[in-house]
Amino acid sequence: GWLFWRAKECGRRSGDSKRQVTLFILFVFMCQIGAETLRYSLPEEMERDSFVANIAKDLGVPLSQLAARKARVVSEGNEQVFRLNQNTGVLTAKESLDREEICPQSDTCTLVFKIFFENPLQLIRGEVEIRDVNDNSPVFPEKEMVLEILETTSPGSRFPLESAQDMDVGSNGLQNYSLGSNPHFSLAIGTGKDGVKYVELVLQRQMDREEQGELNLLLTAIDGGSPPRSGTAQIRVVVLDANDNIPVFEREFYEVRLAENSPPEQLVVRVAAADPDEGSNGKVRYTFTQTSERSRQLFKLNPATGEIRVAGNLDFEEAKTHKMVVKATDGGGLSAHCKVQVEVLDVNDNAPEIALTSLTASIPEDAPPRTVVALFSVRDRDSGDNGRAECSIDGDLPFSLTPTFDNYYELRTNAALDRESKAQYNITITAMDWGRTRLSSRESIFVQISDVNDNPPEFTQEIYTMSVTENNSPMLRIGSMNATDADAGKNARVNYALVRQEGKEQPDVSVNAETGDVYILRPLDYEKVRDFELTVSASDGGSPPLSTQALLRVVVRDENDNTPVVLHPPPDSSSAGELVPRWAQSDYLVAKVVAVDADAGQNAWLSYELAKATEPGLFRVGLHSGEGRTARAVTERDAPRQRVVLLVRDRGQPPRSATATLAVALVDGFSEAHLRVSEEAPAADPDGPLTLYLIASLACVSALFLATVVAAAVVKVRQVRRSEAESLPTFPTTAPESSAGSLPRGYLYDICFAAGTVNSEFRFLRPLFPCFPAGLPPGPGEQRSSVCSQDAANLGEEGD
């Protein structure tokens, strides 16, 4: 509070740390004693925004602290009459204050206010006394009072007059009365037990109706203000004939207790006065006299019966008692007076009122127990147990109410909060009084729980297993990891990252930091790595961040990307591989082909089959064993040198294959083991179909070339026959080139097909020259004689 601040400032100026400690202990002690009450006074009817006090100066609080601690002033009740300027520290009245309006029936008028500071929370009570100003003149209820007095009335008789009403109090209130000069009457002024002055007209000399039937007097009421104010009323005295009996009340004082919730027309009391006279002199009528205007509004008097009934709404909180004077007058003008006092009994007709002073709309979930959430006051305008209230919180909530002082309560937390369990609370506070019929009111306070980063992310699985086929494309997504965080906002924003382990090579894996998607950066090879594990962490965006880890296991699936490799026979072997005797029978083991496949599973399951052989029916191979055996007995007709091509195929999709070539020599005895097997034919051409296409193309080109040559020869012969005188034409040295890419000359192809094969092999290639008839002159560079038959024969012999 401001005492602590003043103590701290003193410690700073002196530089003495011990003095600061002493002042702080003094401050704590003073806080235990109670809060100081500031007292001020202010005249009524001041102008708007009139100066009341300098709060900052009186409390010794720097002006900067007023705004920093959100200082504000709160008046009791629903209407706020004061304003606090945080920049100057000046307390001013918001409106012009009228004491008679604020405290109509009170000698003292005090307005209570409270000054609230926050950070830390502090409350200071203050009072402003509204000083009375003489701004109201005394006023008589009636401008003219009529007194009917018998002429036989003896001197010394007293006649009560209507008292003047002055709204001011103290010295500014009604102080004296004066009567205009006359020979018959004087004034007698007295003060009742309640301090109210009353006035009576005293007869000094007996009157004579025949001499003067009516007398007019001027009554003046004077207050004690400076300058004094006054009010006047006319007294008209009517002198009546003799009536020697006056009305007499049964009791001079009537006291009645009445509940404030009494309905209109309820009988309060009946006053009765008797007059022994007869006729009109014995008929009594009742009227109010010396009664306030407010009492006349709340009660009505039957002039004939003397019954006083309720006419308005009684309110104990407005006035606890009402005093009235009843005048009984007979037909002769004689009157008597009695007093009636009505005591209003309190009834529990006001529910407690809850006024919220300070509220923290949002508190962090890690707020410690006993944290102040709100400050409010409870007010009940009833009295006694009817005005005594208690507060409670509806439901089982982690909050409690702590009474402070002057009907103020603090709403505090009484347990640890967890936003993830409940993010907001709608707290209903019930204030209930202690009346016989208990009345209550409710106030709802909405409190938001702000998030604190107290929950780490959690993966949906402890171990994630993902698979990828080898030879994958780069940046291939293989799956996703997911972690959730129970917090909110940035505290729940999850980022994923790989945990690098020292001493281990980081796999070619990437994890998207935002989505958790897992990508393979480069193609994998099942034959090098079949699976691997790595750790992925998920961290939130809190400060400091919390994280958790999960294991990622990547399994590489095999793909048929490896061709079988033949280990035996060696692919580069050129010597005779195997010897088979001529007497070998069926199922004779010739050789065993050994092959391996680097793939796994069915991609590595190998099968063997016979692809090509010199004698296809002589050999067979085991489907799974790779053993080459004779399919029948060897005969003399079988060629001594056999070439067997075996196909090794895996079971992948699509399958891959390799070939193994066996050179087999059929011998009469194993003494001929020195025989070598020459490779007469090359290995099986994998491009067999392409060779067929090339042979067909060359055949077509050759046929076209031959047709062209024949056509040219026919044309030449016809030209010779037509013109014998002309020199014989010579045949062109070259044939015209084909636009389709034909060869420039004709060629003769001798093609040899091996038995049992589908592939062809070129054995001989030689150009084919055209043939001319004998006797034709040769062209340039050509012979005269025809050599077609001889060349053809020579070519045939060379082909053999």
Side-chain angles (χ1 to χ4, degrees):
W2 65 274
L3 289 175
F4 174 74
W5 182 86
R6 293 294 300 272
K8 187 175 180 181
E9 286 296 313
C10 293
R12 288 179 178 173
R13 293 172 183 173
S14 63
D16 190 350
S17 59
K18 294 184 178 179
R19 187 176 182 183
Q20 291 183 7
V21 175
T22 305
L23 290 174
F24 178 77
I25 296 174
L26 177 61
F27 159 73
V28 175
F29 175 74
M30 294 181 70
C31 288
Q32 298 296 329
I33 294 175
E36 180 180 355
T37 300
L38 303 176
R39 291 183 173 85
Y40 305 98
S41 63
L42 179 71
E44 68 171 336
E45 302 296 340
M46 294 293 289
E47 295 181 357
R48 182 179 180 180
D49 292 329
S50 298
F51 176 86
V52 178
N54 192 327
I55 298 299
K57 181 179 179 181
D58 295 341
L59 295 179
V61 177
L63 295 179
S64 61
Q65 291 288 327
L66 293 180
R69 298 181 60 187
K70 300 180 181 179
R72 63 185 184 277
V73 62
V74 179
S75 302
E76 282 192 351
N78 297 327
E79 185 178 1
Q80 303 298 318
V81 298
F82 298 106
R83 180 187 291 114
L84 177 61
N85 191 324
Q86 294 183 353
N87 297 324
T88 62
V90 173
L91 182 69
T92 58
K94 296 176 64 175
E95 303 290 342
S96 178
L97 302 178
D98 187 358
R99 190 202 66 82
E100 288 75 21
E101 181 180 354
I102 298 174
C103 309
Q105 295 185 352
S106 177
D107 293 338
T108 61
C109 185
T110 302
L111 296 180
V112 179
F113 66 91
K114 294 178 178 62
I115 298 176
F116 290 88
F117 290 88
E118 296 183 3
N119 302 320
L121 182 65
Q122 183 183 3
L123 183 146
I124 298 176
R125 189 176 187 274
E127 297 178 355
V128 176
E129 180 183 2
I130 308 301
R131 300 196 305 272
D132 184 51
V133 176
N134 190 24
D135 57 343
N136 293 283
S137 300
V139 177
F140 287 93
E142 298 177 359
K143 290 297 183 181
E144 184 182 41
M145 293 179 282
V146 178
L147 295 178
E148 295 178 350
I149 302 176
L150 287 173
E151 60 181 350
T152 59
T153 302
S154 59
S157 298
R158 293 174 177 263
F159 303 94
L161 300 176
E162 290 283 350
S163 299
Q165 304 281 335
D166 195 337
M167 301 290 290
D168 297 323
V169 296
S171 61
N172 295 326
L174 180 64
Q175 298 294 328
N176 200 2
Y177 292 90
S178 64
L179 186 65
S181 176
N182 69 90
H184 296 283
F185 295 95
S186 63
L187 289 178
I189 301 174
T191 304
K193 293 181 180 181
D194 55 359
V196 178
K197 294 182 179 296
Y198 63 90
V199 60
E200 295 178 338
L201 193 64
V202 181
L203 182 62
Q204 298 292 336
R205 192 178 66 160
Q206 190 172 4
M207 293 183 296
D208 187 0
R209 192 191 67 82
E210 286 74 21
E211 180 181 349
Q212 189 177 6
E214 187 173 300
L215 183 63
N216 292 316
L217 304 175
L218 180 64
L219 179 63
T220 303
I222 305 171
D223 64 16
S226 180
R229 291 176 176 264
S230 61
T232 61
Q234 291 289 333
I235 302 177
R236 185 162 63 92
V237 179
V238 178
V239 182
L240 301 177
D241 285 338
N243 182 15
D244 55 353
N245 292 291
I246 62 174
V248 177
F249 281 96
E250 295 177 354
R251 288 185 293 175
E252 292 184 359
F253 183 75
Y254 291 85
E255 185 176 10
V256 182
R257 293 185 176 182
L258 190 65
E260 63 174 329
N261 62 348
S262 298
E265 299 298 331
Q266 179 175 335
L267 179 64
V268 179
V269 67
R270 180 181 180 184
V271 297
D275 192 324
D277 294 328
E278 295 182 352
S280 61
N281 292 330
K283 188 177 181 179
V284 180
R285 294 186 65 83
Y286 302 93
T287 57
F288 281 130
T289 183
Q290 298 185 6
T291 303
S292 66
E293 184 64 25
R294 181 59 178 163
S295 296
R296 293 173 187 263
Q297 295 174 356
L298 295 176
F299 302 95
K300 64 180 181 179
L301 174 62
N302 190 315
T305 62
E307 293 180 347
I308 299 177
R309 294 183 178 272
V310 177
N313 295 323
L314 300 179
D315 190 355
F316 173 84
E317 290 72 35
E318 179 182 346
K320 297 178 177 60
T321 59
H322 296 276
K323 296 179 180 180
M324 297 166 285
V325 177
V326 179
K327 176 182 177 181
T329 305
D330 61 16
L334 298 179
S335 62
H337 302 80
C338 71
K339 296 182 179 180
V340 178
Q341 178 174 312
V342 178
E343 181 181 355
V344 181
L345 302 179
D346 183 40
V347 174
N348 191 22
D349 59 345
N350 292 284
E353 299 174 357
I354 301 175
L356 192 61
T357 303
S358 177
L359 172 63
T360 303
S362 178
I363 57 175
E365 60 177 325
D366 61 347
R370 307 294 298 168
T371 298
V372 177
V373 178
L375 178 68
F376 63 92
S377 62
V378 179
R379 175 191 176 195
D380 195 319
R381 294 189 298 166
D382 295 322
S383 63
D385 288 342
N386 295 333
R388 180 183 173 189
E390 62 180 5
C391 294
S392 61
I393 298 177
D394 296 352
D396 186 14
L397 301 177
F399 297 91
S400 62
L401 296 176
T402 302
T404 55
F405 61 92
D406 202 11
N407 294 328
Y408 275 84
Y409 292 83
E410 290 179 341
L411 176 64
R412 296 175 176 265
T413 61
N414 63 0
L417 303 176
D418 186 8
R419 189 205 65 82
E420 289 71 37
S421 299
K422 193 166 186 179
Q424 57 189 14
Y425 291 91
N426 190 4
I427 306 171
T428 301
I429 299 175
T430 302
M432 182 176 295
D433 59 27
W434 287 52
R436 177 172 297 179
T437 302
R438 306 189 71 176
L439 302 179
S440 63
S441 61
R442 294 171 179 266
E443 181 73 21
S444 294
I445 297 177
F446 185 78
V447 178
Q448 189 80 22
I449 309 301
S450 60
D451 184 52
V452 174
N453 191 25
D454 57 348
N455 290 282
E458 294 184 0
F459 280 99
T460 56
Q461 301 173 217
E462 294 183 359
I463 300 176
Y464 288 83
T465 302
M466 302 179 187
S467 59
V468 59
T469 304
E470 64 173 331
N471 303 316
N472 56 282
S473 59
M475 292 303 297
L476 176 66
R477 181 183 178 275
I478 63 172
S480 179
M481 303 181 70
N482 184 32
T484 58
D485 197 311
D487 294 321
K490 68 176 183 179
N491 295 330
R493 192 180 300 117
V494 180
N495 289 325
Y496 303 89
L498 291 175
V499 178
R500 299 187 177 274
Q501 300 179 359
E502 296 183 1
K504 291 186 178 181
E505 182 181 356
Q506 188 68 18
D508 294 330
V509 177
S510 175
V511 177
N512 189 294
E514 297 181 356
T515 63
D517 291 342
V518 181
Y519 295 88
I520 301 298
L521 302 179
R522 297 179 182 84
L524 300 179
D525 189 355
Y526 174 83
E527 287 70 37
K528 293 182 179 179
V529 56
R530 300 194 175 187
D531 58 35
F532 56 88
E533 295 180 350
L534 53 119
T535 304
V536 178
S537 69
S539 58
D540 56 29
S543 179
L546 302 178
S547 63
T548 187
Q549 295 181 351
L551 184 65
L552 173 61
R553 185 171 184 268
V554 179
V555 178
V556 182
R557 294 195 301 265
D558 182 45
E559 186 180 51
N560 191 24
D561 58 343
N562 290 282
T563 303
V565 177
V566 178
L567 302 180
H568 179 79
D572 57 349
S573 176
S574 61
S575 60
E578 303 296 336
L579 300 178
V580 177
R582 287 281 184 176
W583 45 262
Q585 299 299 316
S586 175
D587 202 32
Y588 179 84
L589 178 62
V590 178
K592 181 178 177 64
V593 177
V594 179
V596 294
D597 195 316
D599 293 322
Q602 68 176 10
N603 295 331
W605 296 352
L606 301 180
S607 62
Y608 304 85
E609 59 185 88
L610 186 63
K612 185 171 60 174
T614 305
E615 294 291 339
L618 181 59
F619 300 100
R620 64 179 177 83
V621 64
L623 180 62
H624 301 295
S625 63
E627 295 178 349
R629 296 179 179 270
T630 57
R632 59 177 175 79
V634 179
T635 64
E636 291 296 335
R637 291 175 298 176
D638 294 328
R641 294 188 181 92
Q642 299 287 333
R643 183 169 174 268
V644 181
V645 179
L646 300 180
L647 182 67
V648 183
R649 191 195 311 269
D650 59 24
R651 302 183 68 177
Q653 291 295 330
R656 290 177 175 268
S657 62
T659 59
T661 302
L662 293 178
V664 180
L666 301 180
V667 295
D668 293 330
F670 284 98
S671 60
E672 300 182 48
H674 64 279
L675 295 177
R676 309 290 293 180
V677 178
S678 60
E679 292 294 326
E680 293 275 334
D685 186 3
D687 299 328
L690 180 60
T691 303
L692 292 177
Y693 298 151
L694 181 57
I695 293 173
S697 299
L698 291 176
C700 293
V701 171
S702 299
L704 180 60
F705 180 75
L706 291 176
T708 303
V709 172
V710 172
V714 171
V715 171
K716 289 296 183 180
V717 170
R718 288 181 180 180
Q719 288 179 356
V720 170
R721 290 179 180 178
R722 289 178 183 177
S723 178
E724 295 180 352
E726 296 181 2
S727 62
L728 294 175
T730 60
F731 193 77
T733 58
T734 58
E737 295 183 357
S738 172
S739 61
S742 302
L743 295 176
R745 289 182 179 272
Y747 291 87
L748 175 64
Y749 300 93
D750 184 11
I751 303 174
C752 176
F753 296 92
T757 64
V758 295
N759 294 331
S760 63
E761 299 174 355
F762 291 100
R763 296 287 303 279
F764 180 78
L765 181 62
R766 179 176 177 177
L768 181 64
F769 295 99
C771 298
F772 297 97
L776 291 179
E782 295 182 354
Q783 298 179 0
R784 292 181 59 92
S785 60
S786 176
V787 292
C788 293
S789 300
Q790 182 180 356
D791 289 341
N794 293 335
L795 289 174
E797 293 176 358
E798 291 177 3
D800 294 337

